[in-house]
Each structure stands twice: as C-alpha cells, then as structure tokens.
Amino acid sequence: MDISSVQKLCIDLISSAVQRCRLSEDLCRLSVVLKSSPPIIRVSISDTGTGSCLEEFQDLKCNREGIGTEKWDGLLSIKTTSISDNKIYHYHLNLRGSVSARRLTRLPSILKNDAKFSGTEVCLSISETIDALLNDIKHYFQKMLILKIPSVAAELVIERGDASGLRCQNVFLPNECSPLNFSSSNVERLKSGLEEYVLKHRNSLNNKCDSCFCSREKLKISSGVARSMESHRSPGLIVEAVIAISEHSESLCFRSSGNKTEVLHFKDFSPSSVSIASLNALTSIDWRSYGLTLVSAVDQVDHALIEWESLPPYLHIDMVIHCYHKQFPGKCKYQPDRHLIKKGVKLALDDLKEKHTGLLLSAHAVKICSYAPDLASSIAGIILSSNDVKFQSKCSLLLELSQSQEIGKQTVEDRIKEKIISVIETNDRKPEKIKEAAPFLFEDDPPQDLDPADLYLEEHEGGDDVFSFPD
C-alpha cells in the first residue's frame, strides 16, 4: 500500500484498526489521540480488537516525495497482544527502508499478569499542524458512521501541550434517529446510515435538521444488492448500493449542491477511492429510463461526482456504494466489478420507482403523461354527451363516482386523468425484465390474442443479480 502523505498514513492505520475490531467478537473501542507539543505531534491509534497481524505494517510503502524526512522519520512504534497471549509485544518498524530489507525490531515485552484482553496501539511522531490532520480524520469518521458497524465505538482526542493544557474530545457514536437491532444486516445498516448522513447534513450535525426535514416524507431511500458467485479464482463479492432522494423546501442552513450528486465509495467496510469500474458502471446506466439525464461522472478521489442536466432545484440525490467479500477477512485482493456495481445501482433505482408513485418516471412515461389531460377531456366528453343512461351509469361505477347526484365535466376529466396516469406509472415502475402488458384503464378482460411478449423486449442484460467471474 503506497503512502503519499501523513494524512493518508494516519487514515490507513485507522482503517486497519477498524478491521481488527471487526474481527473481534466483542464490543471494541477505537481511540485516536493527537497530542501536540509544537512542532511535533504524537499520533496514537489504539483499538481493543484482535491482535495485529504484523505483516500489514510491513506491506506499507512510504512515498519519499509525499512524506519528506523533515515531516516524519518513518518510525512506527507498535504494541500488540492477542487474547491468548500472556505478554504485550512491543516492536519498532522503520518504513523508510526498502520493503525487502525491513525488519521488526523487537523491544522488551510487558507481562499481562494473567489478564485476558487483546488490542493494538500504533504510535508515530510527525512534524505537522493539528488542523492539517484533524479535518481529514474527522471527515473519515463522519463517513464511517454511514456503515453503522455495530461493534465499534470510536473517539478522537486532541491534547494541546500549551499553557492552557486544553483537551478536546470527540466521540463518534451514532445518535440514531432510527435505532437498529444488533442483528440487522449490512445493507440495512448502510441504508439507515445514509439516511442519518442526509438528515444531519453529511453528519456535520448531532441531530437531524428539522428545518430541512420537518417530515420524513421529504426523504425517500432505497437499496439494491448484487452478488457474484464464489470460485477457486475469485472471491464471492457483494455490492450494496443505497440511493436517497430528498425534497428540500427553502432553508437557510441547506447547502445546495445544485445539480450534482456525490457518490460515496466503501470497500471492505472502509472509505475507499473511486475505481475505474465504478465510473464505467455509473456512466453505462440508462439514466433516461429513470427520468434523469447524465452530463458527467468525475473521479474526485474519495467520491465520484455526478452532474445532472435540468435536475429540479428542490430535488437532491445522494448515493453510496459498498463492495466487500462474502467472507471476512477476504482470501485475496480484488477489484470491484463493473457489472455488479451497475446491477446494484439499478436495483436500488428500480426499488425507488416501485415504492414511490410518480418518482423517477422515465422520459418516455413523462411524455405519455403529458397527453393524459387531452385524452381525459375527450373521453369525458364522450361519456357526458351520451344518451345511453346504462352506459353513463357503468362509466360512473368504473370511475368510482357517485351516481346519486349530478357530476360535472371537470370531475369526470380529473378522475379519468388520474386513472390514465396511474396506469402509466404502474407500468413504468416495473423493471424492464419483469414488465407485463399494461393494465387496462377500466379493467375489462384483455383480448385473448394479445401476446405480452410482443409489447416489451427483454432488457439486453437481463438475468438474475448473481454473476460469476470467468476462469
């Protein structure tokens, strides 16, 4: 793993601590302490997860151009112990040397005196400002809250070595608007995490913003999961995609993103950079079938930035993609798969359309709906101008209108228009691969010679949401 900056080094060390906590079967605490004694900052990253696999540190590659010797001497101090160990082992590792020549320097161990615990502490001393590290680390934890990993509580402590002896502590525990069960699935946690992220303006607030989200109806959220089959050459992978669409009234605290969407990426339960496969997947989706027009999808290092054409100013879209192994820890390294990512995102979009009437209508459906008023007016004119009382009575019954009083033309038109639009929306909400013939306006028996297969073509990709990798 290449390390190009002090900030990235700290984030990678924190990510490793998170993985050790996930391996533990117990509740874990992760603590990051930044102690300032100008011009030096001592960084301590400790966790109560499983003991460290020391190879993870030896694989780190220090980019000398990114981290100069004047900022960091390359020395890591590592203390670690497993639950079965009777000692706490202490090592020094200098990352300035070549990978092949590196050796851990073992220092005197500390007896545990029959105590049963596990954990790791990694320390380093750097020449940097607190603010330069603090923003990146806080941003990392704010994104980690989206995953809602149930067994990890994290804290960030800043100690300043000045006369005031100021000590500042940030505890990153999810103040949940919708608490989850401990046994909730990963995708349920991701879905709830993105909801909290949006409600709290990218987790910059402790509680949801009531001025922007006075009603939960303003936020619509859905998810899609795509899986690959496990083989001897490739691990079984899971891609979870969650999409949130929010409608904002005018608010002073709402930071408008215009017609852009940030797509956050996670890999193996940690924030990740944007892969080429993900960008290709996002640009290959037929967004017009969801009423959206894609202008561009650009890599912004820690997220992808999608720009839309003519997105309504009151509408905002948030998206998160998480790719991970079925089994943890993974057996081998892998790259996210474009087809899996595309499938996961499309399943989330289809789920939104199915659950929320009128949302994400395709451009074709919107065009057809524009003809509904004229068609409704013509049909209403035929019904009301008829002299056949039985015909009018049957039409009133089908339109669910009262026959005990005189009904005006506008009422009949509105009811017919509602039914026409309802039929269009019902059919448009279905994914292409499972679309059937559209229901008839008045629910009469369809013609017996009508073949639904002639009405809709199968989506060219089709198939289930399970993929296998070629050998």
Side-chain angles (χ1 to χ4, degrees):
M1 182 183 297
D2 289 321
I3 305 300
S4 57
S5 67
V6 170
Q7 290 87 342
K8 188 176 188 306
L9 172 63
C10 292
I11 296 300
D12 287 339
L13 293 174
I14 296 171
S15 295
S16 296
V18 171
Q19 301 309 321
R20 290 191 292 271
C21 290
R22 288 190 60 232
L23 281 172
S24 175
E25 296 180 355
D26 299 320
L27 292 173
C28 295
R29 176 177 177 175
L30 191 159
S31 181
V32 179
V33 180
L34 306 179
K35 186 173 182 179
S36 175
S37 297
I40 301 298
I41 297 176
R42 185 177 185 274
V43 181
S44 169
I45 300 166
S46 60
D47 66 86
T48 59
T50 60
S52 170
C53 174
L54 297 177
E55 286 78 7
E56 67 183 89
F57 300 108
Q58 291 181 305
D59 289 339
L60 294 173
K61 298 179 182 179
C62 180
N63 187 326
R64 297 184 180 183
E65 296 180 358
I67 309 178
T69 54
E70 71 280 0
K71 284 193 173 184
W72 180 47
D73 59 8
L75 187 66
L76 291 181
S77 174
I78 305 165
K79 293 180 182 178
T80 186
T81 185
S82 297
I83 196 73
S84 58
D85 294 334
N86 58 9
K87 296 179 180 179
I88 300 174
Y89 299 101
H90 190 189
Y91 304 91
H92 276 177
L93 174 64
N94 194 328
L95 296 182
R96 289 294 180 187
S98 64
V99 175
S100 59
R102 286 178 191 165
R103 290 184 181 179
L104 284 172
T105 302
R106 187 166 179 171
L107 303 177
S109 302
I110 304 171
L111 291 176
K112 293 169 66 174
N113 297 323
D114 297 327
K116 295 293 183 182
F117 62 89
S118 62
T120 301
E121 181 184 26
V122 182
C123 297
L124 63 153
S125 296
I126 57 176
S127 177
E128 188 61 274
T129 63
I130 284 282
D131 292 338
L133 289 178
L134 188 59
N135 290 335
D136 285 351
I137 294 176
K138 287 185 68 174
H139 184 60
Y140 171 87
F141 279 121
Q142 286 169 347
K143 290 204 294 185
M144 282 297 296
L145 287 177
I146 297 175
L147 295 175
K148 286 197 171 182
I149 300 175
S151 58
V152 183
E155 65 174 355
L156 172 60
V157 180
I158 298 96
E159 296 181 357
R160 300 185 186 272
D162 53 18
S164 62
L166 180 63
R167 179 184 176 92
C168 177
Q169 183 174 18
N170 293 280
V171 180
F172 291 90
L173 289 173
N175 183 13
E176 299 180 351
C177 303
S178 303
L180 295 171
N181 294 325
F182 198 81
S183 59
S184 297
S185 67
N186 291 329
V187 70
E188 287 173 335
R189 293 186 177 281
L190 188 66
K191 187 175 176 181
S192 177
L194 182 61
E195 180 181 10
E196 302 279 341
Y197 184 78
V198 174
L199 291 175
K200 298 175 184 177
H201 293 321
R202 298 192 172 103
N203 282 338
S204 61
L205 306 175
N206 291 326
N207 297 287
K208 78 179 182 74
C209 179
D210 291 324
S211 61
C212 290
F213 298 99
C214 55
S215 170
R216 284 297 182 94
E217 294 179 358
K218 290 178 177 284
L219 180 62
K220 300 173 178 64
I221 190 164
S222 196
S223 61
V225 182
R227 299 175 174 86
S228 72
M229 297 179 65
E230 190 171 2
S231 70
H232 66 282
R233 293 190 60 184
S234 300
L237 300 180
I238 296 177
V239 171
E240 297 170 348
V242 179
I243 299 174
I245 297 181
S246 50
E247 299 178 18
H248 294 278
S249 56
E250 293 185 5
S251 172
L252 295 176
C253 65
F254 175 61
R255 186 174 67 85
S256 176
S257 299
N259 57 345
K260 296 180 175 63
T261 292
E262 289 186 2
V263 185
L264 301 178
H265 286 70
F266 294 86
K267 183 178 178 182
D268 292 328
F269 295 87
S270 187
S272 73
S273 57
V274 180
S275 66
I276 296 176
S278 180
L279 282 179
N280 290 339
L282 292 172
T283 54
S284 65
I285 293 173
D286 180 14
W287 292 103
R288 291 185 63 83
S289 63
Y290 302 98
L292 299 168
T293 302
L294 179 71
V295 175
S296 63
V298 182
D299 179 5
Q300 298 289 309
V301 183
D302 64 339
H303 66 273
L305 189 65
I306 291 180
E307 183 177 357
W308 309 105
E309 180 181 303
S310 303
L311 189 70
Y314 59 85
L315 206 65
H316 186 68
I317 303 173
D318 290 276
M319 194 182 312
V320 60
I321 297 171
H322 185 198
C323 182
Y324 61 95
H325 288 276
K326 287 182 180 178
Q327 296 182 344
F328 182 79
K331 299 176 182 179
C332 60
K333 295 182 179 180
Y334 68 95
Q335 291 296 325
D337 180 79
R338 180 179 74 89
H339 298 289
L340 279 182
I341 295 172
K342 180 178 180 179
K343 193 68 178 181
V345 173
K346 289 187 64 178
L347 287 171
L349 290 166
D350 291 337
D351 194 37
L352 274 170
K353 289 183 70 168
E354 187 174 353
K355 289 180 178 177
H356 303 285
T357 301
L359 187 65
L360 296 179
L361 286 179
S362 67
H364 182 63
V366 171
K367 184 177 180 180
I368 296 175
C369 285
S370 66
Y371 299 124
D374 291 339
L375 181 58
S377 178
S378 299
I379 296 174
I382 294 173
I383 294 173
L384 296 176
S385 63
S386 174
N387 295 322
D388 189 334
V389 177
K390 290 183 177 180
F391 169 71
Q392 287 187 335
S393 177
K394 185 176 181 179
C395 288
S396 296
L397 184 63
L398 291 171
L399 293 171
E400 300 174 346
L401 295 172
S402 174
Q403 302 179 50
S404 60
Q405 57 185 5
E406 186 176 349
I407 302 172
K409 182 181 179 182
Q410 190 61 47
T411 302
V412 177
E413 280 188 27
D414 291 343
R415 187 58 58 88
I416 294 173
K417 183 174 70 173
E418 289 175 6
K419 283 187 168 288
I420 292 173
I421 292 177
S422 176
V423 169
I424 297 170
E425 290 179 346
T426 298
N427 193 59
D428 193 67
R429 286 200 303 270
K430 298 176 182 178
E432 286 289 338
K433 65 177 182 179
I434 62 170
K435 276 188 177 179
E436 302 169 354
F440 283 78
L441 182 62
F442 297 120
E443 300 179 358
D444 280 339
D445 293 331
Q448 297 300 314
D449 58 346
L450 184 63
D451 184 4
D454 294 334
L455 297 176
Y456 298 96
L457 297 175
E458 283 289 318
E459 186 181 22
H460 70 280
E461 289 182 328
D464 198 3
D465 61 340
V466 178
F467 296 82
S468 61
F469 290 86
D471 290 335

